[in-house]
Amino acid sequence: MLQELPTLSAAQYSLVYNMFSFTVATMAAAFVFFVMSQKNLAPKYRISMMVSALVVFIAGYHYFRIFNSWEAAYTLNEAMGAYEYSGEPFNDAYRYVDWLLTVPLLVVELVLVMDLPEGRSGPMAAKLGFAAALMIALGYPGEVSGDTSLFGVRGLWGFLSTLPFVYLLYVLFTELGDVIQKQSDEVAKLIGNARLLLLFTWGFYPIVYMVPMFIGGYPGEAPGAVATIQVGYTIADICAKAGYGVLIYNIARAKSVEEGFDVDEYAEPVGA
Ligand SMILES: *C/C=C(C)/C=C/C=C(C)/C=C/C1=C(C)CCCC1(C)C
């Protein structure tokens, strides 16, 4: 969405600015880690690291664009010591485009690393990926509506978006629960942790989405809501993409060891 923005205090503006900058760096670092760490894994688990690398690459690119858009959307009013809307719109659609691509990939990562019985991975990844994309697509009209009411446009699309979200969690905790039981204790614990991280970080997004329903109007007059939404989504993205990718790596590594792959073989320095 191309959205008009309220005047922010220097502290609010800088907080968002610094968070965007930090996120670009985090996503780039995570990308390098996921690419480099693949060689430590049995070949069949490398694909899940490849998907993790894609997710943080896509997110890093979008954060770079969001960061630039934020910078252009504000100018410093030195007399006021505050940042005013420059007239150049802040493009928040980058965020939803990013989610539309990365959220299905995040569920695919988990399905791949679980290594489901023959023939189950494809359909499972497809149905969860579809639900994830539907969730984001349904949230978008509410996010950009400019409406802030619980029983209005924002609330309605938010509710519709919650339906595929609940379905996704249901499948993760029921059908995929059975698959977890069949893994070794260590792997079951690691997968359980990744699933919990997913539950808590993903659960954070609808809460942030509801912020404008509780702190004043948006976009016009609520600087607090603007800064809170941007910082909230940013923290959630770092945990749900980079942090989650590291947990997926740990699962893949534990499974590689169990399956007899020498995970350190390639990690030795040349000539050692
Ligand atoms: C990397 C980005 C991630 C993991 C984004 C996840 C986003 C969600 C789980 C969003 C969910 C929403 C609802 C369940 C209802 C309100 C609208 C959304 C799109 C914020």
Side-chain angles (χ1 to χ4, degrees), residues 25-239:
T26 308
M27 296 296 177
F31 176 76
V32 173
F33 176 77
F34 296 145
V35 170
M36 301 292 285
S37 62
Q38 279 178 49
K39 62 182 186 313
N40 295 337
L41 302 174
K44 82 173 174 203
Y45 297 114
R46 289 181 192 162
I47 177 84
S48 59
M49 275 301 94
M50 199 59 227
V51 178
S52 297
L54 274 180
V55 166
V56 292
F57 183 88
I58 296 169
Y61 163 76
H62 282 115
Y63 267 96
F64 182 69
R65 302 301 303 254
I66 293 173
F67 178 71
N68 286 338
S69 179
W70 181 256
E71 218 181 350
Y74 277 99
T75 44
L76 176 63
N77 180 327
E78 291 192 27
M80 283 167 67
Y83 282 84
E84 282 181 320
Y85 181 51
S86 68
E88 184 98 25
F90 176 57
N91 188 351
D92 214 12
Y94 288 132
R95 199 179 277 295
Y96 270 78
V97 174
D98 178 79
W99 292 353
L100 196 58
L101 295 168
T102 55
V103 172
L105 289 174
L106 287 167
V107 290
V108 167
E109 248 174 70
L110 187 63
V111 172
L112 284 174
V113 85
M114 281 184 169
D115 188 26
L116 303 184
E118 197 63 34
R120 278 193 64 195
S121 285
M124 180 60 82
K127 81 179 179 191
L128 291 181
F130 179 73
L134 190 64
M135 166 181 86
I136 301 303
L138 289 172
Y140 186 64
E143 187 82 79
V144 300
S145 64
D147 177 61
T148 59
S149 52
L150 181 57
F151 297 103
V153 181
R154 196 176 184 88
L156 174 68
W157 289 105
F159 171 75
L160 293 176
S161 161
T162 304
L163 301 177
F165 183 46
V166 169
Y167 168 75
L168 210 148
L169 293 178
Y170 175 79
V171 174
L172 277 183
F173 283 86
T174 55
E175 263 183 72
L176 283 181
D178 306 344
V179 180
I180 294 182
Q181 306 287 301
K182 298 194 185 84
Q183 318 260 352
S184 73
D185 286 352
E186 195 200 345
V187 170
K189 202 176 100 215
L190 292 173
I191 294 179
N193 289 345
R195 205 171 51 167
L196 280 182
L197 180 77
L198 189 150
L199 176 67
F200 286 112
T201 55
W202 290 35
F204 196 63
Y205 293 85
I207 296 171
V208 175
Y209 179 90
M210 292 195 299
V211 163
M213 297 174 183
F214 302 107
I215 349 185
Y218 179 67
E221 67 277 12
V226 171
T228 308
I229 288 185
Q230 295 307 330
V231 171
Y233 280 155
T234 301
I235 294 171
D237 276 352
I238 290 175
C239 300

